[in-house]
């Protein structure tokens, strides 16, 4: 691709605004269209980033790629329209509002061999990227993602929060779980009927690895932590502070006639590889996929495992109720 890729962005909400900033600031792409049916909001955001506002998807023959940052319930129809036009796509998570529709979208992208990415943003957290370069053979992973309640997000925490950590665990284990167990809690009066506020899940893997992932929106502070246990190391990742710490126990013995113990632990603090904004790093990776510098097939096939796992986790929602 000799010229800068021309990008159309669908959605002028919170995530759409962030994508618009990132694309317009990139040296490797051009934001040409901002698509949103709300004229005042859409036109305002388009003007801010020197793009053209449109109320609906145009003919995409002069566009190299589309970013979808619209409401999840609109993802399926938008994605299908983009893919049928043979255009590359970056879509916010989840890909669609059901596993069946997600798999249908991915099948079309695979059949047409189109560049396709899902906004699983934590993959591009600098601390996560550093930890992934250090991890060798993880046996047990504990992930915690807790937050105070956000009134604007009333749907379940599995798709809002937990999917990020499930995706990271699958990436770190380099395998898809063979068994999923989950418990869901429904507590907040402002949540939608049947939308879980807390979820605890255990993922089991074929080679014996296990992971516990926890998401909550009834916490009183943000926690974003990943603990990766190997046979002889613990790698702790603070995703908020973007820090990695490695612990290795070297000795432990009783002291004071058995009334206590002394433990010696080696602590390593590796340098974070880079401190780029994850959304910018994600978009630059998307450009690499477009340009053939990153493998499009590998990227496509990395999306479904986390969606399948979340589908299993959320099957314990009360029957007959909406999300």
């Amino acid at each position: 691709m000799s010229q800068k890729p021309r990008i159309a962005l669908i959605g002028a909400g919170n995530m759409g605004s962030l994508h618009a900033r990132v694309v317009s600031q990139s040296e490797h792409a051009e934001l040409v269209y901002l698509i949103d049916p709300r004229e005042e909001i859409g036109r305002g955001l388009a003007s801010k980033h020197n793009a053209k506002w449109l109320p609906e998807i145009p003919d995409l023959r002069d566009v190299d790629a589309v970013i979808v940052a619209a409401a999840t319930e609109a993802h399926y129809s938008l994605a299908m329209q983009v893919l049928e036009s043979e255009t590359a796509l970056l879509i916010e998570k989840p890909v669609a509002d059901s596993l069946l529709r997600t798999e249908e979208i991915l099948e079309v992208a695979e059949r047409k061999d189109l560049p396709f990415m899902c906004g699983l943003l934590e993959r591009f957290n600098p601390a996560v990227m550093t930890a992934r370069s250090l991890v060798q053979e993880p046996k047990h992973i504990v992930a915690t993602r807790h937050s105070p309640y956000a009134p604007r997000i009333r749907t379940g925490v599995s798709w809002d929060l937990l999917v990020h950590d499930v995706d990271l665990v699958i990436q770190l284990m380099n395998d898809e779980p063979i068994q999923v167990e989950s418990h869901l809690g429904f507590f907040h009066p402002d949540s939608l009927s049947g939308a879980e506020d807390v979820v605890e899940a255990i993922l089991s893997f074929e080679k014996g690895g296990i992971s516990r992932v926890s998401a909550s929106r009834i916490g009183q502070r943000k926690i974003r932590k990943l603990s990766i246990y190997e046979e002889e190391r613990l790698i702790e990742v603070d995703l908020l502070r973007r820090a990695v710490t490695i612990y290795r126990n070297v000795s432990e013995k009783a002291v004071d006639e058995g009334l206590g113990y002394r433990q010696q632990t080696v602590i390593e603090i590796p340098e974070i590889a880079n401190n780029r904004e994850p959304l910018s790093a994600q978009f630059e990776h998307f450009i690499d996929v477009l340009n053939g510098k990153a493998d499009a097939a590998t990227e496509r096939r990395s999306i479904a495992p986390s969606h399948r796992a979340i589908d299993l986790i959320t099957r314990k929602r009360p029957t007959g109720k909406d999300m």
Side-chain angles (χ1 to χ4, degrees), residues 54-127:
L54 295 172
E56 57 187 22
I57 298 178
D59 185 315
L60 294 173
R61 281 178 292 184
D62 67 337
V63 169
D64 297 298
V66 173
I67 299 173
V68 171
T72 301
E73 55 267 25
H75 281 195
Y76 177 79
S77 60
L78 293 172
M80 284 302 192
Q81 187 173 346
V82 172
L83 295 176
E84 289 300 333
S85 71
E86 309 280 343
T87 306
L89 178 61
L90 166 59
I91 192 166
E92 274 302 319
K93 55 81 184 169
V95 172
D97 55 2
S98 74
L99 180 61
L100 184 63
R101 286 183 166 186
T102 293
E103 290 178 334
E104 188 176 344
I105 290 168
L106 291 171
E107 189 278 327
V108 173
E110 185 74 20
R111 174 163 43 85
K112 292 178 176 289
D113 193 23
L114 291 170
F116 187 100
M117 275 182 63
C118 179
L120 295 163
L121 194 58
E122 290 288 22
R123 293 184 182 186
F124 300 92
N125 185 310

Side-chain angles (χ1 to χ4, degrees), residues 177-182 201-204 308-310 312-313 316:
I178 58 173
Q179 184 177 354
V180 175
E181 302 175 22
S182 64
I202 302 291
L203 312 180
S204 302
R308 285 193 286 262
I310 294 294
L312 291 172
I313 288 168
K316 291 203 172 181

Side-chain angles (χ1 to χ4, degrees), residues 124-127 130 240-243 272-278 281:
F124 300 92
N125 185 310
T130 300
L240 285 179
R241 293 183 174 85
R242 298 180 184 175
I272 301 301
N274 66 72
N275 203 28
R276 295 187 63 195
E277 178 189 7

Side-chain angles (χ1 to χ4, degrees), residues 187-221:
F187 307 113
H188 205 284
D190 293 336
S191 297
L192 293 179
S193 177
E196 71 281 358
D197 301 298
V198 174
V199 57
E200 299 279 342
I202 302 291
L203 312 180
S204 302
F205 295 84
E206 187 173 6
K207 295 180 180 179
I210 61 172
S211 175
R212 179 178 63 80
V213 289
S214 172
S216 169
R217 60 173 170 210
I218 59 170
Q220 295 305 307
R221 66 184 182 97

Side-chain angles (χ1 to χ4, degrees), residues 14 22 30 48 88 94 97 140 246 320:
N14 289 327
V22 165
E30 180 185 2
K48 181 179 180 180
D97 55 2
H140 179 209
I246 302 172

Side-chain angles (χ1 to χ4, degrees), residues 1 7 12 19 40 46 74 85 89-90 167 204 206 292 297 307 315-316:
M1 193 174 293
I7 309 296
H19 280 289
E40 184 176 354
S85 71
L89 178 61
L90 166 59
D167 179 68
S204 302
E206 187 173 6
H307 284 62
R315 287 182 187 181
K316 291 203 172 181

